[in-house]
Amino acid sequence: MKEEVRLNATEDQQPGWFLPSNGSSNSLYLSEAPPPLPLNPWDVVLCVSGTIISCENAIVVAIIFYTPAFRTPMFLLIGSLATADLLAGLGLIFHFAFVYCIQSQVVNLITVGLLVCSFTASVGSLLAITIDRYLSLYNALTYYSERTVTRTYIMLIITWGVSICFGLLPVMGWNCLKDDSTCSIVKPLTKNNLIILSISFFMVFAMMLQLYVQICKIVCRHAQQIALQRHFLATSHYVTTRKGISTLAVILGTFASCWLPFAIYCLLGDYTYPALYTYMTILPATYNSMINPVIYAFRNQEIQKVLWTICCGCISSTMPFRSRSPSDV
């Protein structure tokens, strides 16, 4: 019987995250895998993605940590996002190694908890950055105050506190290892667990959408006021407004295109669905952690200066940084 299961896994090219349960389960399996397993291309792609994600975000974390000028609320939130994405990338690498090499159920439960925690913290940090950007425009005169610093720490504590709680759930026993009928498309997470995570995502997405709509209104109003004060032409006002709205659309559109397919599939799918569907939706979600450093860190002029200094020393490390608002990032 054991040889038959292994033969079926080989013929169907089941990856390390998938394990047939009585010949019927095709859901993403994050707890264990029977040796030997054929190397699945999807798992390799996820591992490579995790490596790229880790390298990108490790650079951002190192720059923010070792640069005293980057102790402002804006960079603390960017650092939180980079840390969460770094842990997500490491989680993808560790999971690949544990599935194909170590194959320990306990260790893989810890790995899945790390992935849940890190991706939750990544989405939560994006919401915190959006709130910070909105407040920097809405309360521009009082933004650079102690209240902003306090608010930033509160958002970070809430974000990571909730994320750690979600990550501990499968480790502390809320998993489907003893009952396959309760499994979701991502084993060993239960269907109810994944539904809660998906609903939480939709709530975060709705809040971000509302905040970015308000940001667009503020940007348009400010651009119109500046155009009137400086006697700009209508075309200049149009170009400035369109540029700001386009930037916000790219940010929100990237986030939605990466996470919405997986979030919707988590609500509609179950463990009997083909494994291919899970891979096709979870891979874009991981790409969001790959794109985040480009959008929120590498586009920042201060971070670019530090990168140039590290790479070629063409800019003096003592060069003063110009303080910027989160709305400029």
Side-chain angles (χ1 to χ4, degrees):
M1 183 63 182
K2 188 178 295 185
E3 292 178 357
E4 182 181 352
V5 173
R6 292 179 182 176
L7 180 60
N8 292 337
T10 303
E11 292 176 351
D12 296 337
Q13 286 295 304
Q14 292 286 356
W17 286 6
F18 299 80
L19 177 63
S21 176
N22 299 325
S24 63
S25 176
N26 287 315
S27 62
L28 190 59
Y29 196 80
L30 296 176
S31 62
E32 65 175 354
L37 284 172
L39 189 62
N40 188 279
W42 288 98
D43 286 332
V44 176
V45 172
L46 284 172
C47 184
V48 172
S49 300
T51 304
I52 298 174
I53 291 169
S54 300
C55 294
E56 281 183 325
N57 289 281
I59 294 174
V60 178
V61 171
I63 289 175
I64 294 177
F65 182 80
Y66 287 106
T67 307
F70 295 161
R71 298 293 185 268
T72 61
M74 175 183 67
F75 285 108
L76 288 176
L77 294 174
I78 294 176
S80 172
L81 175 63
T83 301
D85 290 334
L86 172 60
L87 293 176
L90 292 176
L92 292 172
I93 298 172
F94 291 158
H95 175 73
F96 180 86
F98 294 149
V99 165
Y100 286 99
C101 301
I102 300 177
Q103 299 175 0
S104 169
Q105 186 178 94
V106 175
V107 174
N108 279 296
L109 275 175
I110 297 175
T111 304
V112 94
L114 173 62
L115 287 170
V116 172
C117 173
S118 56
F119 281 123
T120 304
S122 177
V123 174
S125 296
L126 289 174
L127 175 61
I129 290 175
T130 306
I131 294 174
D132 187 62
R133 286 182 168 181
Y134 169 75
L135 292 176
S136 70
L137 291 170
Y138 185 77
N139 296 322
L141 297 178
T142 61
Y143 176 78
Y144 296 98
S145 64
E146 291 297 327
R147 292 181 58 185
T148 301
V149 178
T150 303
R151 182 178 60 243
T152 300
Y153 282 116
I154 292 175
M155 289 193 296
L156 291 176
I157 291 173
I158 294 175
T159 297
W160 283 96
V162 172
S163 301
I164 292 173
C165 289
F166 276 129
L168 288 176
L169 289 179
V171 181
M172 300 302 292
W174 197 12
N175 54 63
C176 63
L177 295 180
K178 297 181 180 179
D179 186 5
D180 285 347
S181 63
T182 63
C183 285
S184 65
I185 59 171
V186 182
K187 288 186 178 180
L189 298 180
T190 64
K191 180 69 174 179
N192 291 335
N193 191 346
L194 210 57
I195 288 176
I196 292 175
L197 291 172
S198 299
I199 293 176
S200 300
F201 166 80
F202 284 113
M203 292 174 61
V204 170
F205 179 73
M207 293 175 64
M208 291 180 61
L209 182 62
Q210 176 65 22
L211 287 171
Y212 274 121
V213 169
Q214 296 300 320
I215 289 175
C216 285
K217 293 180 179 178
I218 296 175
V219 168
C220 293
R221 186 166 61 249
H222 285 185
Q224 184 178 11
Q225 291 174 353
I226 294 174
L228 292 175
Q229 291 176 359
R230 300 184 180 180
H231 305 289
F232 286 167
L233 297 176
T235 54
S236 299
H237 167 244
Y238 172 75
V239 170
T240 303
T241 305
R242 186 181 63 179
K243 181 180 178 181
I245 295 177
S246 298
T247 301
L248 297 178
V250 169
I251 293 173
L252 192 61
T254 300
F255 177 70
S257 60
C258 289
W259 276 107
L260 277 179
F262 181 66
I264 295 173
Y265 185 57
C266 287
L267 296 176
L268 301 179
D270 59 45
Y271 73 101
T272 63
Y273 282 39
L276 179 63
Y277 298 161
T278 305
Y279 275 122
M280 292 177 63
T281 54
I282 200 172
L283 190 60
T286 63
Y287 285 163
N288 186 67
S289 296
M290 191 184 302
I291 298 172
N292 283 338
V294 178
I295 294 178
Y296 295 96
F298 297 143
R299 289 175 60 247
N300 183 277
Q301 293 183 3
E302 282 77 11
I303 292 180
Q304 290 177 6
K305 291 176 183 178
V306 176
L307 284 174
W308 279 110
T309 303
I310 295 174
C311 294
C312 58
C314 57
I315 296 179
S316 173
S317 59
T318 60
M319 178 178 292
F321 294 108
R322 180 176 67 89
S323 177
R324 304 177 76 205
S325 166
S327 58
D328 296 329
V329 180

